[in-house]
Each structure stands twice: as C-alpha cells, then as structure tokens.
Amino acid sequence: MEELDGEPTVTLIPGVNSKKNQMYFDWGPGEMLVCETSFNKKEKSEMVPSCPFIYIIRKDVDVYSQILRKLFNESHGIFLGLQRIDEELTGKSRKSQLVRVSKNYRSVIRACMEEMHQVAIAAKDPANGRQFSSQVSILSAMELIWNLCEILFIEVAPAGPLLLHLLDWVRLHVCEVDSLSADVLGSENPSKHDSFWNLVTILVLQGRLDEARQMLSKEADASPASAGICRIMGDLMRTMPILSPGNTQTLTELELKWQHWHEECERYLQDSTFATSPHLESLLKIMLGDEAALLEQKELLSNWYHFLVTRLLYSNPTVKPIDLHYYAQSSLDLFLGGESSPEPLDNILLAAFEFDIHQVIKECSIALSNWWFVAHLTDLLDHCKLLQSHNLYFGSNMREFLLLEYASGLFAHPSLWQLGVDYFDYCPELGRVSLELHIERIPLNTEQKALKVLRICEQRQMTEQVRSICKILAMKAVRNNRLGSALSWSIRAKDAAFATLVSDRFLRDYCERGCFSDLDLIDNLGPAMMLSDRLTFLGKYREFHRMYGEKRFADAASLLLSLMTSRIAPRSFWMTLLTDALPLLEQKQTYELMRCLEDLTSRRPVHGESDTEQLQDDDIETTKVEMLRLSLARNLARAIIREGSLEGS
Amino acid sequence: MHDAQMDYYGTRLATCSSDRSVKIFDVRNGGQILIADLRGHEGPVWQVAWAHPMYGNILASCSYDRKVIIWREENGTWEKSHEHAGHDSSVNSVCWAPHDYGLILACGSSDGAISLLTYTGEGQWEVKKINNAHTIGCNAVSWAPAVVPGSLIDHPSGQKPNYIKRFASGGCDNLIKLWKEEEDGQWKEEQKLEAHSDWVRDVAWAPSIGLPTSTIASCSQDGRVFIWTCDDASSNTWSPKLLHKFNDVVWHVSWSITANILAVSGGDNKVTLWKESVDGQWVCISDVNKGQGSVSASVTEGQQNEQ
C-alpha cells in the first residue's frame, strides 16, 4: 500500500456504546453513506433487538450552503466561458484573457466572502456566527492563494513588476490599515493619536510612502521641533526609486538608482540624523531592509508573507521569480522564530513560491473541504498549459480527475446537479460515462424535472438512459392510472412490451366502461402505432369507432374485418368485435365473420382459470356465441335478400 | 438491524432486522419517516434489495426462515407480491440483476444453492436453481454490470440484444465463483477465484465505467479484502490484489456509483473508504469510526448547513 502524506481523517459517528455492534453502510446516489449499527454473526442465534441508529453522512456538505451556492453558480458560468476561449489565441492576448478569467473567479470569491461576512455579523446564534466567520476566513485564504497563483503562474510577472504585484497582493489582504487610518485621521489631533506611529510604520511596511509622507507632514506641523527631521525623512520617502507601470527605465537602471538611494539612507543612519526620534530611526532601519528592525514589527506585519514582501521591497526590489523561494523559506523561518510551526496555509504559499504547482494543488486538496477550489484552479492552470499530465486511473489527468470529483459532488444536490452536467461534458475521458451513471439517479419528482433530464440525455445521444428513464416514467404513470401518459412514455421509450401492456389496459377499460380515455393521444399515434401489435390494434379500433361515428359504415366494416382476419386483434376481444360488426355487414363479410366465430369457439384456449370459473365463463360464452350465431344468420338472410333484390331491380 | 439499502434515487431506505420486519423510510431532506412496516418473514431478515424503478417500486427480502419475499407497492400500499420457498435453509443474500436483463433476482442460501427468479409476467416467476453452488453455504451474490458483446447498436424495439449474463457468488467454501448463463438458459460455473482462507462474506462487482477491465471486491471471515481484476481482452484471467488485512471479520464491501471508491465495513467498528491511486495501489482515504460519545464534524455540519 502506498504511503499517504497524512493519516486519513477519522470521522466519528455518535453511536451505541457497545463493543458488539458493528457498522453497516450503503451507498446512496448522491455520495451519501448510511451508517448504522448492525448485528451480524456467523452463528445466527441471538435475537436481541439492537438499538438501531441510522446516520446519513455526506461528503460534500458545502453543497447545501445557500451562500456558497452562489459561488458554484457563478463560477460555473466562468468555467464555461473559459472552456470556450478560442484555442487559436496565443501570446499576449491569450494571457490577458486568462488573467481576466482568474480575476473573475477571485471577484466571485470575494463577493461570497462579503456576503458571508454580513451574515456572520447578523447571526443571532453565536455558534452560527462563529461558523460563518470561519467560513469567511477559509474563503479569504482561498482568495489569497488564488491571487498568488495568478501572479506567479498566470500573469507570470517578471522581475520588477513581480514586486509590484506582490505589494498589491499584500495590501489587499492585510486590511487593518484602512480602519486604522480612518481612526487616526478622524481624530482631532492625528499626530497625537496613540496609534499614529503604528499607522505610519505600517504604511512604510506596505510601501505606501506617499501616504506615510502625508502623515509625517502632520507631525511636522504639530511639533515644530521635529519638523526638520520629518522633512528629511519625507524626502527620502519621496525619492525612493520604484518601478512604476508606465516607466521605461530598464531593470539595471532601476537597480543602480536604488543602490544610490540605499547608500544615502545608510549615510543618514551613520550620521545619527534621526537619533532624536526613535520612531523615525526605526523607520529608517526598516527602509534599509534591516531584518531585526522588521522583525520588531511582527505584530503590525501579522504574517510571514507580509514580512517577506516588505523585506524584498527594501532589500531586493528587483528580485527574480526563481529566487523567490529562498527568501520565502527564510522569511517563514525568521518570522516564526522557532516558536510555532507552519500551518497548512503557510505550506501552500511556500509551495507556490517554489513554483511547485502540483504541491500547491495537493496541499489544497487535503486542506479544503470540497473540490471547488482545486477543480477550478487546476482547470485554469491547465488552460495555461502548465500541467503535465500524470496518468491517473480515474481521469486521464489531474484536471479531469478533480473536475469529476467536483461534478459528482454537485449531483447530490436537487438543483445544482445541472451545473454538474456541464462539467462532465468537458471531461473527455470519463465525463460521459460518469454522467450516464449519475443522471439516471436523479429523482424524477416532477414532470418538468423528468423532461429536463431527458432533454439533457437526448442532446448527448444517451439513448440507453433515455429509454430507461421513459420506462420508469411509464411505469409510474401506469401505477397512478394515468394511461395516456403511460402510453406516450412507452412510445418514447420504444418499449413494445410496455406499450402492449398499456394498450391492454386501455382495451380493458373500454370493455368495462364502454368508452376510451385519452382519445387525442390514440387518434394521433401516427407511425408510433407500429410499435406493438396491440397498440396497432388499439389505434385501428379507435379509427373504426371514428368511422362509425362519421357514418362511413362501409369503410368501418372493411376495417373491422381486416382487424379480425389479420389476427392482430387479441382473442379476448373477438367477441366484442363480432358484436360491433353485426349492424354493418354485407353478405360476403358475414361469411368471413361466421368463419371467425367458428374459429373462436372451436379453439378456446384455457389460461389458468380455476375449473368453476371456467365453467361459468363457458356458460356466458356459450350464450353469447349462440346469440351471435343467430344474429349472423339473420344478417346473412337479410343481406342475401337485400342484395338479391338490388341485383334484381 | 442487519441490512439497509437506499433506493435508486436515495429518497427511500429499506431496512431489515432480527425482529422479522422489513421497514421502509422516506429519507428526503434528511428526514426519516416510516412509510411501511412489512411483516411476513418468520425469522430474522438478512438482506433487502431494491429493484430498478422501471419495474415499479419493488423490494426483495431474504430471511433465516428459508424464504425470499418480493414486495410491491401498489396504489400507495406495500404488499407481498410473491414468496419463494425453494430453499432448505436460511437465505443469506438477494441481488437484482441489471435492469437490461429484465426483472431477475439471484438468491444465495445456506443450503449451498443459488436460485434465480425471473419475472415472466402476470405475477408469475420462473425459477432456476443451481444446486451445490458452494458447499456448506452461499453468503453473497452480486451481478456483473450489463455489457453487450461487440458494438452497442441501437436495437429495434422488441428485440433484445444478446447480453451475456454473469454474476459472482461468495460462499462458506472460501471461494468466489463466477457464473455465466449459457445459450440454452442454463447457468454454468465459469470461474473459481481462490484466495481467501475462511468464509467469503461479501462480493461486489464494480459498476462499469467504460474501461475494458472488470473488477470484483471480496471480503471474508479471514479479515482480508481482495480486489480482483480481469482484463477483458484476454478474458478469464482474474488477478487478485490484497487491499488490506483487517484484524477482524470483514462483513461488507460496496462500490460507489462511479466505482471510484470502495467502502469496507469490518469488525473493528469502522467503515473505511478506499481509492485506487496513480500507480494502481489502493489507498485508504477515510475512516468512519463508530465513536464513543464524541460528535462527528460532518454530521453536525450537515445539520447546520441546512438553512
């Protein structure tokens, strides 16, 4: 057996506290597993009634969250758009499209986060509130990871712009700055506010030097004594060379300028220019990239990746992507300082800095509770042509594997399953067969739903499934005595046997009540009539009735005769037909009918009826036959006379 | 309770137990409403099985009282539709064939025989019996998924494609046997799979996902679970792979719908879930453990998320 990276998670079920009982289970269609205590021994002796509890365990509970549902729905649209991106596009235009898709996904996550945050605040039950808050932090972590992946793998930012992107990334995710800023600026005397220097420091840590300068000018105004050094610091901040988007300077130029600026800062430190203000001096050290000074600000930095980016900003702003991981690892180590160990999120980010995409996906799969994140991210990265395919037994590559898992999870839900269909469509290897297996299990509670499912199957030429579903619906209709519905379903299923069964029911109903139900359907069978002999008979018999009603007696008579002679009429119906025929007949036809009658009476097969029943029936039958014989004879006589006289005159 | 089975759509649950009853629950939306309590057996009921919904709502149950009862729902009420009393000893397992074959039920019994009931219409069932399928007794039966040999051409209505019907059985002779229906309608033993050293408790034939291999899972009193695979191209050679050796009897194995996860339930009070990894090795992905008073994360999440 292969080694797993971690122990499989153990899910505990509250159960009967007895060592004797075991757990039994069964798979449900929507990935649900029913577990219960059971009692099963080799010697089937004990009949002690056990205490049965049944639990239903679901793998993908997230599917049932209202807010996350929006995430699933909207990301589904983005997913489809991505699959349809023109494969011909290459180079820059393709890259910008892919980046746009990535940003779309992220904005959906953020929207979801925002909504859940609102709900968390508004929650009346603190336990609920806590749960929502933890969901918010999970979503936030997801967005953090995705954003980093976008910068490193999709945007593929080169040295120079790389740092700018990382700065944006950090600013987006460490948001205390804004509320702090509002607090301080909103106060009467900002520079005297308790958190003033914290604010300035964090602005510097985030490379927001313009804003920091503005803060300093307030300080300069408030305490003229330090105005001078504030101005010098402000100048330093203003002159720090940084790559701006429109800038045309080369990396080498930038590096040179930065080197100079760095040396200038160094000189100020040596001269102890800022010795009078400990705050300003520590700011200077930060701007010099002094690790110790940075680490002093752990609380403001709040996490190691902030520390990493700040460090890079002030010590190596033109860092190359491939060198990132050295800094990343050391930043993590320095920040944690041996006091705590890395969390799953830290490992995921580290893997990203190491450009180890597979590791990122693997760790995310383990850490997250559902497949949404890894499925969509992997799919996007696959479109960036970044994944080499590993041959997995399920799904020929990782992308497909994850999409299949995600889509299967959707099928557990009464309406989200429709999204799952599209995902299966874009899994070339096993998507179709997975869809076939799942779609048959969707409960067809309403006609609408059944039609929806059928349409999906028909669009994909899943004829077996169509047939099976139609048969199920036909059976359901029969049980609910909706014969018309049953008939149309069995025709759609091309199920001759069932059509025969339903036709028989129709005919039986007719015998009992003297009229047909669902006339419209039977009248308009068209070529479908050929599906089964019984059905053909039903259609033709109804046609006979119509002709009779329209007084087209000659046609009706011929039709009836052909029905009898062609033998498609069931024997049980012959008496009825003969009775129907009587008023219509001419001489020739009467002979035919008499022959049929003899046929009928001479070969009466016995079908499992008890002796007494048969005798009774025989009595009735005999009487009927006798009457028919009499009527036929009379008819014949009349016909002969009539035809004889007509011919005569 | 000995057995429970979800119906095709996961909306109903049938359970059976030592108190001789078969109960049916409606389990939609997480509820558990008792719909029917079926009495008719005279001994503990060992297993229940739902038929495919295209035949209506039909449930089969088998019991220590040597009988197999087929229950049917008609006009909203459940009734006994048929009783099969052709065995001399406890009937341990029932399994419906793939719906493509029609309505066929396989029953395995402690008298060593396997009987096959085929519905022929008008409330009639035709019985075929395989005597001495397993010496001492048969504990489990499982049908192979329906696969038409050759290409799957759309057959005109009324004409049934030539399916080769197969099923697997596990018995007290420590063997798993594969049975095939011959052209004359008789069932012949096609293969004997030997690997277990004690009674085979359960066999499960995996659903087909379109690949040319067939897979069977088997578990036994000896604590071992084997995965048997057959490469259909060369046919007839089944190779076993040991999934795991547990410390206690393994009672039940079952495949998920798309056959990508195998669930195993054993005497150590755990249900474990297994998945095949990249290199063909089987890996345990989760343990579901019957706890002693601790609350399960997934169960409570499920409850709380139902807003």
Side-chain angles (χ1 to χ4, degrees), chain A residues 1-2 4 8-42 44 46-50 52-59 61-62 64-67 125 127-128 131-132 135 369 371 390-394 401 405 408 430 433-434 437-438 440-445 463-464 467-469 471-472 475 479 481 494-496 498 531, chain B residues 1-11 13 15 18 20 27 30 32 44 46 52-57 64 73-75 90 92 99-100 110 154-155 157-158 198-199 201 208-211 213 215 221 243-244 251-267 269 271 273-279 281-292 294-296 298-299 301-302 304-307:
Chain A
M1 245 199 333
E2 197 184 270
L4 266 187
T9 42
V10 177
T11 312
L12 296 170
I13 312 286
V16 177
N17 197 344
S18 158
K19 296 252 189 292
K20 275 194 177 168
N21 290 4
Q22 279 121 18
M23 294 212 337
Y24 188 86
F25 66 88
D26 186 38
W27 285 103
E31 306 254 85
M32 290 186 291
L33 200 57
V34 176
C35 286
E36 78 205 56
T37 54
S38 75
F39 196 63
N40 205 346
K41 283 196 118 125
K42 208 164 171 172
K44 290 140 178 128
E46 304 190 33
M47 304 251 261
V48 177
S50 52
F53 290 114
I54 302 177
Y55 293 95
I56 297 185
I57 299 181
R58 295 197 175 99
K59 210 176 67 151
V61 286
D62 292 338
Y64 295 88
S65 153
Q66 289 276 50
I67 301 172
D125 173 11
N128 250 348
Q131 211 213 355
F132 282 121
Q135 278 273 34
S369 66
W371 298 100
H390 285 250
N391 259 325
L392 294 174
Y393 179 50
F394 289 100
F401 177 81
E405 291 287 336
S408 300
L430 293 175
V433 67
S434 302
L437 288 167
H438 278 283
E440 276 196 325
R441 303 284 188 142
I442 296 173
L444 305 168
N445 321 343
T463 42
E464 280 307 310
R467 215 174 277 169
S468 160
I469 291 170
K471 281 190 193 176
I472 294 172
M475 172 60 80
R479 281 198 345 259
N481 243 330
K494 298 201 182 52
D495 186 352
F498 212 80
L531 182 62
Chain B
M1 197 185 308
H2 293 291
D3 187 24
Q5 216 192 58
M6 292 277 222
D7 76 348
Y8 208 63
Y9 300 117
T11 48
L13 180 68
T15 66
S18 325
R20 311 174 190 176
V27 292
Q32 274 174 32
W46 299 129
H52 192 277
M54 74 166 63
Y55 297 110
N57 282 348
Y64 182 68
E73 187 192 26
E74 210 62 60
N75 299 324
S90 168
N92 302 322
H99 67 87
D100 315 68
S110 290
D154 202 16
H155 288 261
S157 62
D198 203 337
W199 292 14
R201 279 285 159 193
S208 160
I209 49 164
L211 296 175
T213 50
T215 312
Q221 199 85 16
L243 178 80
H244 190 62
W251 295 107
H252 187 53
V253 282
S254 170
W255 295 95
S256 67
I257 293 177
T258 46
N260 59 345
I261 304 181
L262 177 70
V264 177
S265 134
N269 288 345
V271 174
L273 303 176
W274 302 80
K275 211 166 187 154
E276 194 172 9
S277 75
V278 184
D279 51 1
Q281 297 302 311
W282 286 85
V283 184
C284 180
I285 58 172
S286 175
D287 280 335
V288 182
N289 203 322
K290 189 180 71 63
Q292 312 279 333
S294 38
V295 173
S296 144
S298 65
V299 173
E301 255 177 50
Q304 279 182 335
N305 272 346
E306 269 152 335
Q307 295 141 29

Side-chain angles (χ1 to χ4, degrees), chain B residues 15 17 27 41 47 59 74 109 137 170 241 262 267 302:
Chain B
T15 66
S17 84
V27 292
H41 280 295
Q47 216 176 60
L59 186 69
E74 210 62 60
S109 163
K241 191 187 295 177
L262 177 70

Side-chain angles (χ1 to χ4, degrees), chain A residues 318-462:
Chain A
T318 55
V319 63
K320 295 202 265 302
I322 47 167
D323 294 331
L324 266 182
H325 72 103
Y326 295 125
Y327 289 98
Q329 185 67 63
S330 62
S331 300
L332 177 61
D333 294 335
L334 284 169
F335 195 86
L336 292 180
E339 282 165 11
S340 48
S341 43
E343 311 240 301
L345 177 61
D346 301 327
N347 290 327
I348 294 169
L349 294 173
L350 257 186
F353 283 122
E354 288 166 12
F355 285 82
D356 189 348
I357 298 181
H358 288 116
Q359 187 69 12
V360 171
I361 295 170
K362 184 161 127 177
E363 301 252 1
C364 287
S365 304
I366 296 174
L368 292 168
S369 66
N370 94 17
W371 298 100
W372 179 88
F373 182 78
V374 284
H376 288 88
L377 181 61
T378 310
D379 173 58
L380 180 55
L381 294 176
D382 188 52
H383 274 86
C384 302
K385 312 259 192 279
L386 288 172
L387 301 176
Q388 294 127 1
S389 50
H390 285 250
N391 259 325
L392 294 174
Y393 179 50
F394 289 100
S396 68
N397 55 45
M398 182 153 54
R399 167 191 172 272
E400 179 158 328
F401 177 81
L402 294 172
L403 285 176
L404 288 173
E405 291 287 336
Y406 173 64
S408 300
L410 287 175
F411 270 85
H413 191 275
S415 61
L416 287 178
W417 62 268
Q418 295 171 76
L419 304 181
V421 174
D422 288 318
Y423 286 98
F424 279 135
D425 281 343
Y426 288 101
C427 292
E429 294 278 325
L430 293 175
R432 189 188 167 84
V433 67
S434 302
L435 180 58
E436 282 172 7
L437 288 167
H438 278 283
I439 204 149
E440 276 196 325
R441 303 284 188 142
I442 296 173
L444 305 168
N445 321 343
T446 63
E447 179 108 349
Q448 253 181 335
K449 202 171 186 185
L451 288 172
K452 214 182 272 190
V453 172
L454 275 174
R455 197 173 40 240
I456 291 174
C457 292
E458 281 164 354
Q459 278 170 350
R460 290 159 181 77
Q461 281 100 42
M462 293 181 173

